Structure formats: structure tokens, C-alpha cells
Amino acid sequence: MNRGALTAVLALAASAAVLALALVWLGRTTLRLEAAEAEARRRAALEEKVRLALWRMDSALTAFIGRENARAVEAFDREEKGSAAAAAYGPFTRRRFEISPRALGSPILPVAELAAVTGGAATIPQPPVVLTQNAADTQAMLNQAEFFQRSQNLAGQQSNFIGPGVQVPSAAPAPPIPSSRVETTLQPLWARGELYLVRRIRRGNTERLQGIWIDWPALRGWLLGQVRDLLPDADLLPGDDPAADPGRRIALLPARLSPGRAPALPVPAWTPARLTLAASSGAIALVVMAVATLLFGSLRQSQRRAEFVSAVTHELRTPLTTFRLYTDMLAEGMVAPAEQKDYLGTLRAEADRLGHLVENVLAYSRLERRPEPRLEAVPLADLLGELRDRLSGHASRAGMELAVQLPFPELADERVLVDRAAAERILLNLMDNACKYAAGGADARLEVQALRRGRHLVLRFQDRGPGISRSERRRLFRPFHKSAARAAGSVPGVGLGLPLSRRLARSMGGDLRLAASGPRGGAAFELWLRRAG
């Protein structure tokens, strides 16, 4: 490879490398942007589901807390057994209680925290109320207090009578039952790891705390069940952290929603970005391959043409040298009259060889312009007769014997579509090669045999020479494959006869193939011709 070809190859390689790097960078950037867009869509879908889940939970809690706020003070601790509301919300209540704000230090309920959440009711003077250690004791204490109040009222009513029909004036009238009212709504509170709903009430001049000890696991499971179809992995976390995302907080409870693992959006295998990237990459790769193919084809063609020019120069120099030497000797009278015939015969042979070379080059040049062949339907017997007459003399001058065989008489009337000049040129080239490589052997026979192969008639040209080596078969039909060095080291020729013959055969709709080769059978070529009709 010369310096110009090497420079062209290096320039193409550098351009392809830069283009490949740019394409890789563009592809990675496109895929990264596509992944970012998919992540944004996934987060947007998650936020939409979180918003809908919070709305469902707040709606459910509004019904539950609203129902509890609507309870009267006197009916706050009454259970509504058998009702739909009790069936829906009853399991969330562990205990209902009413206590004094001054009942500090309770081992069961965090009274100080409950009092603080209702607005400082613990500052009102009130005798301390000590809660018992369990729910049964607390309820018993409240029942005893109610029973004592009712018994006092009943005793005051009965003291006005001492018997039937006798009325005794009472010592003093019964005090009126103090009125009660709700002063605050139920407020949620986390204390000691438990959730409470507490409100402040007033009974006459006394302030009390009414509340519900919530079963948080049950309430949590119920709320999560409302949104299980939206967020299967969601969870409710207790507490109200100010640093937490405000978009996750429940409005009616000090708790926040943890949505869990974000749902994965379906991603098609071929997105528009990936299709565009693949199409552009394929197009650029095809362009690079096409440019590389054209470049290497041009370089290879240039190299073959250079080898052809050197081979042709060598082939022309040899007969011209012979012409000049022999003509000078004949002109100067340096050749005896008895030897002049041999010298003239040599000049004639060299002229024939030179004319054959020139005709091949001109014929190949005409085929490059793709002219239309002049096909005509010719009987096979007539074609073989013409070829025998024109090739026998050439074979005899080379010391060879040509035999034309028609093994099946019925083939004589078969007609083939052929260009007579092209068929003659093909067989003449085959004859020339056989005379070069098979001459001087023990068997100097050359055979042309007609055969039938389907819709084709085949002319098989066989010699008895040394055959064709395996390495030579690969470039046998390649034009311009013989350099000056190979031409100088072998028989005369530039390696253009067989490529030209194959092109001529294919221009007629047939083909030229190497049928057999070897040290015993020599070389055999088959010329395939189309049958007419």
C-alpha cells in the first residue's frame, strides 16, 4: 500500500472513530434524558396516588371523628350496640373516659398531656382524682359516683312523705342538676406511644376531660385498607415531625403516610427515542460502511490497474524487443536465407500474441460500458463447426490437437442463443490458456464436448495439463490480478482472459465455470449457453 492509500485509510479510520464517539455520547445522553423523564413520570404518578390516598383517609376520618364530636356530654360513654356506626367504628375504641384535669400522675392515662392539649384546663382548682390501675376499676369508680348522685336526689324527693296521705315539710329543696356543655372539639394527641382523642367539657362550674383511647393498630389497618388498591406497600407512621414532607401528612391525625415502593411504570422496549437512536446509528453505520467499501474498492481497483499496467508494459516490452531485434537482424542481412523463415515465424507468433492481448484489453474496455450483446439463435452443430475451423489452426501451431465431440446426435439440431464473436473470443481465450499451461505434456489433446444441462447447453473444454492449484482458483476470474513480477515468473499473459470470458458469457445469459482441476484430469471449463425456445 502506497503512502496516498495509507493516508486515505487513516483519515477514514479517524473520521469513523470521531463519529463513533460522538454517536456514543449522543446515545448515552439521550438514554439518560429518557430515564430522567421516566423517573419524573413515575414520581408524578406516585404523588397523584398519594394525594388520592390522603383524601380517602381524611374522608374516612371525618366521618369517624365527626360522629364522636356529635355525642352529647351525658351520652359520651354510652356504646351504641347493634348500630351500623358501632359496627364500623366500634373496634377502634379501646376505652372512653372522663377525668378531672387535676388527676395528675395516673399510671394508666397521661392526664397532664391530655389536659394540656385542651387549652390549660389543669389550672382550675379541683380535687384530685386518682385513676385506678385498670379499666374495670375506673369504670366502677365512675359508676359509684353516679349511683351516689342519683341516690341523693332520690332521698331528697322521698323526705317529703311519712305515710299515705300525710305530707311532712322538707327541710330544704333539692339542688338543681348542673347544666353541661362541650367547650372544645376532639383533639388528637400522641402520649406514651398511644393515640387519644380528647375534648374539654363543663359540668356546671366544673371542667372535665372526655376522651377516647384509640386502638391505633386497628385504626391504622382500617385506613390502609382504604388505599390498598392505590399503594399496596403504604404505611402510616405515628407522630407529626415538622421536618417531614407536608404533602404526606394526614389532616385530622398526627400521622403521616409512607407510600412505600413507587409503582413501576410499563416501559416499552422500543421508545421513540430509542427507535430514533437505533435508526440514526444504523444509518450512520451504513454510511461509514459504504464509504469504507467505496474507498477500499477504489484502492483495490487502483492497485489492480497499476498491476495491470505493469503487466501489460512487461507483455508489450517482450514482443517489441523481439520485433526490433529480429527486424534489425533481417534488415542488416545478418540472418542466413535458410533461417529467415524461422525468424519470420517467430515474428508472426509474437504479433499474434500481441494482437490477442490488445483484443482482450479492448473487449474488456467495451464490456465496462455494458453494451447489448448481439444474440441470435444458432444450431449447435453449426456453432461447433465454426469453432472447430477457427480454433484448430491455433491449436496445431501450439503442438496441440483439438477434438470436438457431440456425444448425443439429437443435440445437433438444438439451437442456442449466442453472440458468435463472444463465443469465439471465450473459446479462443480457453485455447490460449491451454496452449500456455498444457503444451509440452504427454497428452496434447484438447476436447470440446457438448452436453445438456436442463434449459442450458454446455460446451465443456478439457485439457490434459497440470491443472490449477488451489491458491490460484480463488483469483482465477479476478481481473488485473497478475502483476509484472508474476507475469515475468510465469507464462506470458496479464490474467485478463478468463475474467473477460466470464463477463462475455454472463452478458449472453449464460456462465463460465471451472468444472474440474487436478494433476491427472487437467483443467476443465464449462461454457453454459441458453437454449432458444
Side-chain angles (χ1 to χ4, degrees), residues 108-115 117 188-198 213-214 238-239 254:
I108 298 179
L109 300 177
V111 182
E113 293 88 338
L114 301 181
V117 80
L189 170 68
W190 283 101
R192 300 180 187 176
E194 299 290 344
L195 177 62
Y196 299 90
L197 296 178
V198 186
W213 183 3
I214 298 297

Side-chain angles (χ1 to χ4, degrees), residues 298-319:
S298 177
L299 293 176
R300 185 168 58 250
Q301 193 73 5
S302 177
Q303 183 178 2
R304 288 182 180 177
R305 290 182 186 276
E307 293 178 352
F308 168 72
V309 170
S310 64
V312 167
T313 303
H314 172 77
E315 289 297 313
L316 292 177
R317 184 184 298 115
T318 301

Side-chain angles (χ1 to χ4, degrees), residues 1-53:
M1 185 180 295
N2 55 28
R3 177 174 294 183
L6 182 60
T7 302
V9 171
L10 292 178
L12 177 63
S15 302
V18 172
L19 189 60
L21 290 177
L23 190 61
V24 169
W25 177 84
L26 180 62
R28 293 184 61 181
T29 303
T30 302
L31 294 179
R32 185 168 61 250
L33 292 177
E34 186 182 45
E37 182 183 359
E39 179 65 18
R41 290 198 304 267
R42 185 183 65 84
R43 291 184 177 275
L46 177 63
E47 292 301 324
E48 180 65 21
K49 290 187 177 183
V50 168
R51 184 191 64 79
L52 183 57

Side-chain angles (χ1 to χ4, degrees), residues 12 22 80 110 112 173 175 220 230-231 264 291 304 306-307 362-363 401 413 419 446 469 478 500:
L12 177 63
E80 299 177 358
R220 171 180 166 274
L230 296 175
L231 302 171
V291 172
R304 288 182 180 177
E307 293 178 352
L362 292 177
E401 179 184 353
D413 296 331
D419 185 336
L446 297 175
S469 63
R478 185 187 305 169
L500 173 63

Side-chain angles (χ1 to χ4, degrees), residues 58-74:
D58 287 333
S59 298
L61 287 173
T62 299
F64 170 62
I65 297 178
R67 172 179 171 272
E68 296 298 332
N69 271 322
R71 285 177 179 268
V73 174
E74 292 80 6

